[in-house]
Amino acid sequence: MNTSRLTRMILVLALAASGAAQAADDSASDSDKIEAYREMISDGNPAEFDEMRGEELWKKPAGPKNASLEKCDLGKGAGVVKGAYAALPRYFKDTKKVQDLESRLLTCMTTLQGIPEADITAKPFASDKKPSDISSLATYVVGQSKGMKMAVSTKHPKEKEAYEIGKRIFNYRAGPYDFACSTCHATSDVRIRMQDLPNFNVKADAQSAYSSWPAYRVSQGLTRSFQWRLNDCFRQQRFPEPKFASEATVALTMYLAVSANGADYAGPGLKR
Amino acid sequence: MNAKQLFGIAVSVCLASVTFSAQAGSKDDKKLDAKTTEIIKRDFRDKGIAKADRVNQDELQAACSKYLDDVPDKLKGKLEAAQAKEIKWPADGKYMGDWKAGEKLAQSGRGMTWSDKPEDTPGGNCYNCHRLSAKEIAYGTIGPSLLNYGKKRGTKEEVQRSVYGHIYNAKAYNACANMPRFGHMGILTEAQIKDLVALLLDPESPVNPKDASAAAK
């Protein structure tokens, strides 16, 4: 990214921040605003800052073992980042588990770099006070699958099993409001207040929703990972908190990713 | 082989695989159901007011999850009767409160998430899912429009009672309805539910606008 582009992006960010504040009390035209905003930054999504930060983190030796992540195997062989996200989650022989991008990054950071797992999972999401290394790394990795076809496999029995469990979690109603993911995401053309809800039982909806995450959120001024997206929907579902990169979240991701297969991966995206 | 024959073969192959997976299904399904429950109980933790035991299902939640909201008629009737039995009707026999307080409650989307504070009282979240007052354009559409609700139904006592019952526990009327059980789950108090009944039925409420053009919408 050259300097003039960078300056322009910063300007756009400032504009967006004021726009977002305004949008809070004028939600009626949220989608128009986001469209206008998309136009403005058509040649630069602020998520690029995270992609750059993630790339540096990937290449820089770190942790007690002072190692980079360049030997991390995301499923396409050690160090191969290109196209890796378009085939995740998948089964990994070394851990004997189905892993999504973030749980796999967690494995690499603990095994290759020797960073204690608890140090990463204590605060896995970015806040305006502190960026998240694992989120930045994820943003970098997904950027290397841009434009590729989502092709997540269910050939391995464990992959098939994760998909089936994910589907069950999607429909699992509980909590004080009796909500499941399906309460909000299994009917077409409905919305909560003014926010349109994708119907994950419909291919086209699942594809456009899934393939646009992770995403830079204008209202928060932060790039958000897919684990964050699930976490915040479980919050709205009035559930307790899903453990970061847990089997439940990976299975659910598997279900959604397979539902989105065939989409051209378009992340990191840009959202309200 | 012509196209029709090919199609016939394709159809029978598909049918065969459907029956096969349905047969293989039941035993595998039970195993997967059990594993799902095990994973859910293990992978969630307390956060703020949202405690881990919220993932434990009652009979109704379990049935609606299992049958994807399409429970067999006999079970549906049983579940609805059990929910209806637990409705606590107002002791004073009055169902209507203050529609203005009801409108405030309907607007509030607060409540019961882990980011809500223990001292925050939950709102009704009604506008999240329903159109109510003609003036509020930021309404959700998961539930039916309730605009003109009272105008269409009147304010007879049986209507008041039915609305009170729906808000207290919509599952007493339709077991797997996508509407929370506000009274049953202790989200709203009796007085709050009465205010919401008034919002829907009171002729003065903005849900029942007097001017004909709004009414037509």
Side-chain angles (χ1 to χ4, degrees):
Chain A
M1 184 159 31
N2 62 37
T3 7
S4 73
R5 185 129 161 252
L6 197 85
T7 328
R8 217 145 62 79
M9 215 139 93
I10 290 167
L11 196 77
V12 160
L13 275 175
L15 269 170
S18 59
Q22 205 187 326
D25 46 47
D26 181 18
S27 49
S29 54
D30 264 10
S31 52
D32 294 347
K33 279 196 181 123
I34 204 84
E35 246 346 286
Y37 182 65
R38 275 208 180 97
E39 288 277 294
M40 278 200 297
I41 60 157
S42 54
D43 67 348
N45 179 337
E48 280 181 32
F49 289 119
D50 269 82
E51 289 187 73
M52 290 189 299
R53 183 171 183 270
E55 184 172 10
E56 268 167 41
L57 288 167
W58 179 266
K59 291 176 175 162
K60 199 174 76 191
K65 294 189 182 169
N66 200 36
S68 80
L69 290 169
E70 287 164 305
K71 291 210 171 72
C72 178
D73 182 359
L74 298 171
K76 302 258 175 215
V80 181
V81 180
K82 194 106 204 134
Y85 188 63
L88 284 171
R90 67 189 295 155
Y91 177 75
F92 287 89
K93 278 204 195 98
D94 57 351
T95 54
K96 298 197 177 59
K97 276 187 201 159
V98 173
Q99 296 186 286
D100 69 340
L101 173 58
E102 283 156 274
S103 63
R104 190 60 188 172
L105 286 169
L106 188 60
T107 299
C108 289
M109 291 165 87
T110 52
T111 57
L112 298 173
Q113 300 183 312
I115 302 173
E117 186 173 314
D119 288 4
I120 306 164
T121 56
K123 276 210 157 48
F125 306 128
S127 69
D128 33 344
K129 289 178 196 78
K130 203 170 177 293
S132 150
D133 290 353
I134 197 162
S135 285
S136 297
L137 282 161
T139 313
Y140 162 57
V141 172
V142 303
Q144 302 298 307
S145 285
K146 212 177 190 65
M148 295 184 182
K149 278 239 172 323
M150 295 289 317
V152 176
S153 158
T154 47
K155 281 207 195 85
H156 192 282
K158 291 267 193 195
E159 291 169 345
K160 177 80 185 149
E161 185 188 73
Y163 171 86
E164 287 294 334
I165 290 171
K167 183 157 105 188
R168 283 164 173 75
I169 296 175
F170 186 82
N171 292 301
Y172 188 93
R173 297 181 83 165
Y177 283 24
D178 305 324
F179 284 171
C181 309
S182 57
T183 310
C184 298
H185 296 296
T187 314
S188 291
D189 303 319
V190 293
R191 53 179 209 235
I192 285 193
R193 288 283 184 160
M194 296 309 277
Q195 291 160 42
D196 294 328
L197 300 167
N199 175 357
F200 283 102
N201 296 339
V202 170
K203 187 103 193 156
D205 272 26
Q207 289 182 328
S208 70
Y210 189 84
S211 67
S212 52
W213 281 85
Y216 179 82
R217 295 216 46 179
V218 180
S219 56
Q220 303 179 338
L222 291 168
T223 304
R224 291 308 201 178
S225 67
F226 200 71
Q227 282 277 331
W228 177 87
R229 179 66 269 173
L230 293 184
N231 181 280
D232 197 58
C233 273
F234 275 121
R235 184 184 64 79
Q236 295 184 63
Q237 205 169 312
R238 275 75 183 179
F239 267 44
E241 183 174 48
K243 293 178 189 164
F244 179 76
S246 59
E247 193 175 353
T249 60
V250 173
L252 190 51
T253 304
M254 186 70 174
Y255 175 63
L256 302 174
V258 170
S259 306
N261 264 346
D264 290 324
Y265 180 66
L270 184 73
K271 303 272 169 181
R272 181 178 77 82
Chain B
M1 188 160 30
N2 64 29
K4 213 167 145 193
Q5 279 172 317
L6 242 174
F7 179 71
I9 289 172
V11 167
S12 42
V13 168
C14 285
L15 284 177
S17 64
V18 165
T19 22
F20 172 75
S21 62
Q23 276 166 359
S26 51
K27 219 170 79 199
D28 278 4
D29 272 355
K30 281 223 177 81
K31 255 176 72 184
L32 285 163
D33 289 347
K35 188 144 190 209
T36 303
T37 312
E38 192 188 306
I39 289 170
I40 288 179
K41 297 211 164 164
R42 185 198 61 205
D43 285 353
F44 286 83
R45 63 171 171 224
D46 294 354
K47 184 159 182 174
I49 59 169
K51 304 300 178 204
D53 64 7
R54 284 191 182 182
V55 301
N56 297 337
Q57 294 174 314
D58 67 13
E59 189 193 8
L60 181 118
Q61 292 169 335
C64 295
S65 304
K66 179 171 171 201
Y67 293 103
L68 303 180
D69 297 349
D70 196 15
V71 276
D73 284 348
K74 227 175 112 190
L75 177 59
K76 187 170 185 288
K78 233 185 77 190
L79 291 167
E80 286 161 5
Q83 297 294 309
K85 237 175 78 188
E86 289 188 30
I87 297 181
K88 281 228 309 267
W89 299 101
D92 62 3
K94 294 206 173 74
Y95 301 104
M96 299 247 274
D98 168 13
W99 69 260
K100 284 185 188 134
E103 168 68 9
K104 276 206 193 100
L105 271 172
Q107 286 284 0
S108 165
R110 289 263 108 232
M112 300 234 164
T113 72
W114 69 59
S115 46
D116 291 305
K117 306 272 170 307
E119 65 274 15
D120 293 343
T121 46
N125 289 260
C126 315
Y127 280 104
N128 285 11
C129 298
H130 293 287
R131 180 168 201 205
L132 294 113
S133 146
K135 281 182 218 123
E136 177 56 76
I137 51 163
Y139 58 86
T141 57
I142 291 178
S145 169
L146 303 174
L147 180 59
N148 297 319
Y149 197 85
K151 261 206 245 167
K152 286 182 191 149
R153 287 171 181 75
T155 52
K156 284 205 293 279
E157 181 168 328
E158 62 188 85
V159 176
Q160 295 181 22
R161 190 176 160 91
S162 153
V163 175
Y164 187 94
H166 266 96
I167 301 171
Y168 191 97
N169 189 347
K171 271 82 170 182
Y173 303 83
N174 180 6
C176 298
N178 271 342
M179 174 161 152
R181 295 172 279 178
F182 290 101
H184 185 87
M185 289 296 203
I187 303 162
L188 299 175
T189 64
E190 179 180 304
Q192 289 175 316
I193 297 175
K194 288 180 175 181
D195 292 339
L196 289 160
V197 176
L199 177 67
L200 294 193
L201 298 181
D202 195 316
E204 298 304 317
S205 149
V207 167
N208 304 306
K210 294 200 168 51
D211 91 81
S213 64
K217 278 179 203 155

